[in-house]
Amino acid sequence: MARPRLTPRVQRRAALAASGWIALAATAFPGGSPLRWIPVLAFVVLAPGLALLLPQPVGLRPGARLEALALAAPVSLSVATLTATALFLSQAFSLTFFLVVLALFVTVASVLPGVPLPAATRGAVERDGARAPLFRKRAAGGGG
């Protein structure tokens, strides 16, 4: 019996969902170790935004890929800030609990379709075959 083959898109989603749990496991290393802070930092800065933006229903155009990558870090930091603030206000903040909440969020968000991006629907560069003129002719009255 043939096993179902995982597409690269499903593999990327699975890797994204697993990244939070890998970052959580990395907290077992000693405090100042790069094996601890690099995965945690990369996860917090990129994973929530990528989980929200990249699982698009159709493939992204080149400009939309750039838009998604440019938005991933600010969106991730916003989600992390909201999560940390909520945990601080409820007096439940700890690094472990913070990473568990973010890992759950990324796992769920990577399964769902991504937030629609404007460049994904209309294309990053509109091409209709005609080039726009470099200079415009002035009106007869000489006004701009």
Side-chain angles (χ1 to χ4, degrees), residues 25-52:
T27 59
F29 288 107
S33 171
L35 293 174
R36 178 181 178 151
W37 64 265
I38 290 175
V40 171
L41 180 66
F43 169 71
V44 171
V45 170
L46 291 174
L50 288 174
L52 286 174

Side-chain angles (χ1 to χ4, degrees), residues 82-123:
L82 289 172
T83 303
T85 302
L87 291 175
F88 273 120
L89 290 176
S90 64
Q91 298 179 352
F93 184 83
S94 71
L95 176 65
T96 304
F97 194 53
F98 172 72
L99 286 176
V100 166
V101 171
L102 277 183
L104 284 171
F105 175 80
V106 169
T107 302
V108 170
S110 65
V111 173
L112 301 173
V115 176
L117 299 170
T121 57
R122 65 171 161 62

Side-chain angles (χ1 to χ4, degrees), residues 6-76:
L6 294 178
T7 63
R9 185 174 175 189
V10 172
Q11 290 173 352
R12 284 191 300 265
R13 284 179 159 189
L16 190 59
S19 66
W21 306 108
I22 292 169
L24 185 62
T27 59
F29 288 107
S33 171
L35 293 174
R36 178 181 178 151
W37 64 265
I38 290 175
V40 171
L41 180 66
F43 169 71
V44 171
V45 170
L46 291 174
L50 288 174
L52 286 174
L53 298 174
L54 282 187
Q56 295 291 320
V58 294
L60 292 176
R61 296 180 185 180
R65 278 188 229 120
L66 182 61
E67 180 183 358
L69 290 175
L71 285 174
V75 169
S76 294

Side-chain angles (χ1 to χ4, degrees), residues 128 130-135:
D128 58 356
R131 292 186 97 192
L134 294 176
F135 300 102

